[in-house]
Amino acid sequence: MGTHAGSLPHSSVTELADLDAEISECRACPRLVAWREQVAREKRAAFRDQEYWGRPVPGFGDEKARILILGLAPAAHGGNRTGRIFTGDRSGDVLFASLHRVGLANQALSVSIDDGLRVTGVRLAASVRCAPPDNKPTPQERETCSFWLEQEVALLRPTVRVVVALGAFAWAAWWPVAARVYGVAPPRPRPAFGHGALWTGTDLPALLGSYHVSQQNTFTGRLTPDMLDAIFMEAKRLAR
């Protein structure tokens, strides 16, 4: 069904593939639509011969995932170019290398949507599905886009046991979505985000925090490969 410019998202699908198709047609946030399409037209010099996706980026991975990895938003020249979340940017290089090391991905590098990457028991999604200017969605854009995450989590609900929040933005985005999908009030006060922070409850998936795989974090050593591997090993344990 999709959306027109400025209208709120809506959906009645019951399959992830159909949801992904609807997400890719969303035009609910005019600022994000304008930016993602501008980037796709102007391109980065290194990718000037490539056709950019330039649309919202749906989730990717196992339809019966036990682990949901939740990020912030697609990179302007990463997912906004390739059409797959985290594929084709430096953050994805770090993320998929770690998933491969711990046995959750079949290869360590993801450069294009047709490169053969597969993940096992894992679904990856963004809190906001369009690349935002300066990588900073507004609160209203996050709230509008939370509809799509809510729909995705509802379809994954039978199998998901743990959510890995990459960064404080994803950590904060999870709580209202979880409340709507599971009908459970979030804990008060809200648990604080931190690397390795873990919240578990009886009626919701476990929530595990990790510093985001951004270049700022990985280049400075705030997030090391060993630290990230430990997060995903813990996620595997929680998902059993």
Side-chain angles (χ1 to χ4, degrees):
M1 296 170 68
T3 58
H4 299 291
S7 65
L8 293 175
H10 56 275
S11 176
S12 58
V13 300
T14 58
E15 301 289 338
L16 276 171
D18 294 333
L19 179 66
D20 292 346
E22 288 198 353
I23 289 171
S24 70
E25 296 175 358
C26 184
R27 301 183 66 83
C29 301
R31 187 183 80 112
L32 298 186
V33 171
W35 174 250
R36 80 192 191 206
E37 294 181 355
Q38 177 184 335
V39 171
R41 288 192 306 271
E42 296 177 354
K43 305 181 181 181
R44 178 173 285 172
F47 308 124
R48 61 181 176 273
D49 296 328
Q50 297 184 18
E51 182 178 351
Y52 274 52
W53 172 255
R55 296 155 67 185
V57 181
F60 162 70
D62 198 330
E63 293 186 356
K64 296 182 178 180
R66 295 179 71 83
I67 301 171
L68 173 63
I69 300 173
L70 186 58
L72 196 167
H77 302 282
N80 189 58
R81 170 174 60 90
T82 64
R84 189 165 69 194
I85 189 66
F86 285 112
T87 289
D89 67 70
R90 294 289 182 86
S91 295
D93 292 347
V94 174
L95 175 61
F96 290 119
S98 180
L99 292 177
H100 181 254
R101 286 193 298 271
V102 303
L104 293 173
N106 69 320
Q107 60 193 48
L109 188 64
S110 179
V111 296
S112 67
I113 201 168
D114 58 356
D115 61 9
L117 174 71
R118 296 189 307 276
V119 291
T120 303
V122 172
R123 181 89 176 170
L124 300 102
S127 305
V128 173
R129 305 305 171 111
C130 292
D134 299 320
N135 208 34
K136 293 180 180 178
T138 67
Q140 181 58 51
E141 288 163 351
R142 182 178 71 180
E143 178 58 30
T144 299
C145 207
S146 70
F147 172 84
W148 295 122
L149 180 59
E150 181 181 335
Q151 300 302 301
E152 190 161 7
V153 171
L155 293 175
L156 294 168
R157 180 175 176 174
T159 58
V160 164
R161 298 294 176 265
V162 56
V163 176
V164 178
L166 298 178
F169 189 98
W171 180 273
W174 167 250
W175 296 111
V177 168
R180 290 192 291 265
V181 172
Y182 292 86
V184 177
R188 293 180 179 274
R190 298 278 179 89
F193 169 77
H195 185 80
L198 174 63
W199 180 89
T200 57
T202 56
D203 299 314
L204 292 173
L207 180 64
L208 180 60
S210 171
Y211 292 145
H212 195 279
V213 287
S214 65
Q215 291 186 59
Q216 180 179 1
N217 286 337
T218 58
F219 283 8
T220 61
R222 186 178 191 225
L223 178 64
T224 67
D226 286 347
M227 290 169 63
L228 190 58
D229 290 356
I231 291 292
F232 291 128
M233 290 300 293
E234 175 68 357
K236 288 178 67 174
R237 184 190 69 80
L238 292 165
R240 290 174 187 157

